[in-house]
Amino acid sequence: FCHYSTTVPIIKLAMSLTNAITRSLSQLRIGANQLPAAKSSIQIRTKVTKTKKLRLLKKANALPKRLPPNHIPKSQSIIVSPTAQRESLARTPEPERLSNLLSSRSSKLSQESPPLRYNFTNLQDEMSPKLRKLFDLTNGSSNELAKAQKSRAMELFEMRPGDTGSSAVQIMALTSRIQQMQQHVAVHKKEFSGKRGLDAMYVRRRKLLDYLETKDFDTYSTVVKALGLVR
């Protein structure tokens, strides 16, 4: 047990410390109540950096957006007149127009002279008959014949001269390649890598046909009829 003379000063010291702590806490509460209320809104950054200046200048000097040739603004009301309806009814339907276009192109290609090897078709008028016979495709390799067949097939469905990217042209190019691979696989029965590539080309052509069916059904139906595909 501690002696009475030592415990009394310790108790007094503890009481004085607790009183001091309570006074300081009360002062802190009063000071906090006197402080101004914090702003609820988020502070907006007003400093304009170098990157932001460049972006604003680029936006100010930017050219206006190009509009398509037959653009109609949203504010303008569209009125379908009876005259326009009569003209649209008098036009040739799209499938018939496409079939007529294909027939005219095929007749034009049949009337033209066959292409020469090494892209010498443009110079055939200046060649002698013997030289033209030398560069004839009958003397060409199987690769040259396949290339000429593919280019002729692509010319039937091209939307503009030199078109190689439209869906119909890609389908024609794939079909010509598929036909070559079918002949190759029929001869070489055990070339399984070639069969795998042929299956991949079938899938790619089917995806292109599905896309064309959703985007342009008339062209899709014409392509399917021209190639004799079962869909």
Side-chain angles (χ1 to χ4, degrees):
F1 296 102
C2 295
H3 198 268
Y4 177 75
S5 59
T6 58
T7 55
V8 171
I10 292 170
I11 292 168
K12 286 182 179 179
L13 181 63
M15 290 177 67
S16 63
L17 282 171
T18 52
N19 291 331
I21 289 167
T22 51
R23 280 198 301 272
S24 61
L25 286 172
S26 62
Q27 287 174 3
L28 284 171
R29 287 196 198 95
I30 292 164
N33 292 330
Q34 289 176 357
L35 286 171
K39 292 182 180 179
S40 59
S41 61
I42 300 167
Q43 291 184 354
I44 299 167
R45 184 179 173 185
T46 56
K47 186 180 177 182
V48 180
T49 58
K50 189 177 179 180
T51 311
K52 192 173 181 181
K53 280 182 182 177
L54 290 171
R55 191 168 67 247
L56 290 171
L57 282 170
K58 192 176 180 180
K59 194 174 180 182
N61 298 329
L63 295 170
K65 285 186 178 180
R66 279 186 180 180
L67 297 175
N70 298 326
H71 175 70
I72 299 171
K74 291 181 180 179
S75 58
Q76 182 180 346
S77 58
I78 301 169
I79 300 169
V80 181
S81 62
T83 312
Q85 288 179 355
R86 282 199 300 274
E87 286 179 359
S88 62
L89 289 171
R91 287 176 192 161
T92 311
E94 193 68 17
E96 292 181 14
R97 190 184 67 80
L98 286 170
S99 60
N100 294 337
L101 183 65
L102 281 177
S103 60
S104 63
R105 280 184 180 178
S106 59
S107 61
K108 185 181 176 182
L109 286 172
S110 61
Q111 289 171 5
E112 289 179 359
S113 56
L116 299 179
R117 299 171 65 192
Y118 308 117
N119 296 324
F120 283 155
T121 311
N122 297 329
L123 301 174
Q124 61 182 347
D125 295 334
E126 302 172 10
M127 291 180 180
S128 62
K130 288 185 179 180
L131 190 62
R132 196 182 300 124
K133 192 175 181 180
L134 180 66
F135 287 108
D136 195 18
L137 272 176
T138 52
N139 300 323
S141 62
S142 59
N143 288 334
E144 288 175 343
L145 288 170
K147 191 176 179 182
Q149 182 186 359
K150 179 181 172 182
S151 63
R152 279 296 177 102
M154 289 167 69
E155 283 175 12
L156 282 174
F157 283 92
E158 63 182 9
M159 298 177 68
R160 58 190 175 280
D163 178 22
T164 56
S166 59
S167 301
V169 171
Q170 288 186 58
I171 290 164
M172 292 300 292
L174 269 173
T175 305
S176 63
R177 180 63 181 152
I178 284 167
Q179 289 171 355
Q180 295 163 27
M181 283 302 297
Q182 282 172 346
Q183 293 174 1
H184 178 77
V185 170
V187 175
H188 305 279
K189 303 280 185 184
K190 293 189 178 181
E191 191 178 349
F192 300 108
S193 60
K195 288 180 181 178
R196 185 172 176 273
L198 185 60
D199 291 338
M201 282 191 282
Y202 283 138
V203 172
R204 190 177 171 193
R205 185 175 67 176
R206 189 180 70 241
K207 286 182 178 179
L208 281 168
L209 284 166
D210 291 341
Y211 171 77
L212 190 61
E213 186 180 9
T214 55
K215 293 293 179 183
D216 190 358
F217 184 77
D218 297 327
T219 309
Y220 160 78
S221 58
T222 310
V223 168
V224 169
K225 286 177 185 175
L227 296 176
L229 300 175
V230 180
R231 291 281 289 176

